[in-house]
Amino acid sequence: MPLAMVVGAVLCRPVAAADNWSGNMVTPVLIFLMLFVTFCRVKPREMRPSMLHVWLLILQIAGCLAAYFALRPLNVVIAQGAMICIMAPVAMAAVVIAGMLGANVATMATYSLLCNMAVALAAPVVLSFTGNGECTFTQILARIAPLLIMPFAAAQFCRLIIPRAAKWVGDHGQISFYIWLLSLAFIIGRTTCFILDHDEANRTVELALAAAALVICLAQFAIGRRLGRRYGDVVAGGQSLGQKNTVLAVWMSQTFLDPISSVAPTAYIVWQNFVNSYQIYRKDKQNAEQKAS
């Protein structure tokens, strides 16, 4: 993951040019393929909402409002950046990473659907008084529904019509991780170009936004893991609350808030992937020790 981020940052101009040439379709296609591979392992009857999901949603909505009102007296832009880092729904890739870390994939898939729909309902209300007031339910839903519902529907269709192919795809779920690395390089490349092209911002504010994103990232992973431990799935709790759909968060920041506030979710991309890299390293080390013993 760090290598993918470095490649994306160093080659930001070619990466951004390739994405623009494709009509900004590279990342959506990669996310679709990544989720399709993961959802081939999920059976709809295993997807059940739980109290873990309810508490995660409460923490997310209440937390974003608390962060905004706490930081607003200090700086409105920093308050907006912190708020969007908390309000952003769980990342599509969180299902993939959580599965690699040993979480219940059905639990993650259920929360991914619930959380993204809940944010689509809550975001227009929250952004109406924290931003420019132009956000609508339809705009948010149009951004998340295709990348959430379509791969799930395609995977279930594949499981019903060609189950052997779906089983093969599900058994080779590690493919989705490498698709995510490619997607990550494109995401970092695009966001690096945005920061370079908007050099009029106050550097102190940008550093404060990056620092706020780091604190929020670590806090959300820690709180999510603690909550997940109470309900028997530490990893699912941590990834559900900590790993965010930063692509959507950056878009919401640039469209409905002060564009400079998007520095926070941009920095969050880096922080959450360092956390994920460390977790995967720990998991691989544990697996290696178990095989050795």
Side-chain angles (χ1 to χ4, degrees):
M1 286 184 187
L3 180 59
M5 290 188 287
V6 170
V7 170
V10 172
L11 301 178
C12 62
R13 296 300 182 186
V15 165
D19 197 35
N20 290 333
W21 177 80
S22 71
N24 296 324
M25 287 301 296
V26 172
T27 302
V29 169
L30 290 174
I31 291 176
F32 177 94
L33 293 173
M34 174 182 64
L35 287 178
F36 172 78
V37 171
T38 302
F39 284 152
C40 279
R41 299 165 55 190
V42 177
K43 298 177 182 178
R45 65 175 178 269
E46 296 176 347
M47 297 175 63
R48 299 185 183 92
S50 68
M51 283 305 299
L52 172 61
H53 299 143
V54 174
W55 282 113
L56 288 169
L57 287 173
I58 292 173
L59 283 171
Q60 192 166 331
I61 302 302
C64 76
L65 294 173
Y68 177 78
F69 288 114
L71 294 173
R72 184 180 178 181
L74 301 176
N75 187 289
V76 173
V77 177
I78 296 174
Q80 290 177 341
M83 176 197 69
I84 209 71
C85 285
I86 300 173
M87 185 176 66
V90 61
M92 312 296 184
V95 182
V96 178
I97 303 300
M100 293 178 61
L101 295 172
N104 186 309
V105 176
T107 298
M108 287 297 304
T110 303
Y111 186 70
S112 182
L113 291 168
L114 290 174
C115 180
N116 279 273
M117 293 303 295
V119 170
L121 289 170
V125 178
V126 175
L127 295 177
S128 65
F129 62 85
T130 61
N132 57 27
E134 298 177 358
C135 181
T136 66
F137 169 76
T138 305
Q139 286 175 307
I140 302 295
L141 189 63
R143 278 277 176 169
I144 61 178
L147 292 183
L148 189 65
I149 297 173
M150 289 175 61
F152 181 78
Q156 299 312 310
F157 178 81
C158 186
R159 289 184 66 253
L160 289 173
I161 304 302
I162 40 177
R164 287 188 178 181
K167 185 178 184 305
W168 185 91
V169 172
D171 290 343
H172 294 79
Q174 67 272 19
I175 297 171
S176 59
F177 177 68
Y178 296 103
I179 298 175
W180 166 240
L181 292 181
L182 182 58
S183 174
L184 181 59
F186 272 88
I187 293 169
I188 291 293
R190 288 172 55 190
T191 51
T192 301
C193 283
F194 174 80
I195 292 175
L196 293 176
D197 293 338
H198 290 75
D199 56 357
E200 73 280 2
N202 186 310
R203 295 305 177 194
T204 303
V205 172
E206 288 186 332
L207 289 173
L209 285 164
L214 174 59
V215 172
I216 291 169
C217 178
L218 296 177
Q220 289 191 127
F221 272 102
I223 294 170
R225 288 179 68 86
R226 179 169 294 184
L227 187 60
R229 186 174 289 110
R230 289 186 59 185
Y231 291 94
D233 201 329
V234 175
V235 175
Q239 298 306 122
S240 295
L241 196 62
Q243 189 169 349
K244 298 293 187 177
N245 185 345
T246 45
V247 176
L248 180 65
V250 169
W251 172 76
M252 287 194 294
S253 298
Q254 295 175 358
T255 306
F256 306 114
L257 304 172
D258 187 313
I260 302 304
S261 67
S262 65
V263 171
T266 298
Y268 200 101
I269 298 173
V270 178
W271 306 140
Q272 75 176 6
N273 282 292
F274 274 122
V275 172
N276 285 334
S277 297
Y278 176 70
Q279 290 184 118
I280 292 172
Y281 164 76
R282 288 273 314 265
K283 181 67 175 178
D284 288 345
K285 187 177 180 180
Q286 290 174 1
N287 290 341
E289 290 174 350
Q290 289 175 359
K291 288 181 180 179
S293 61

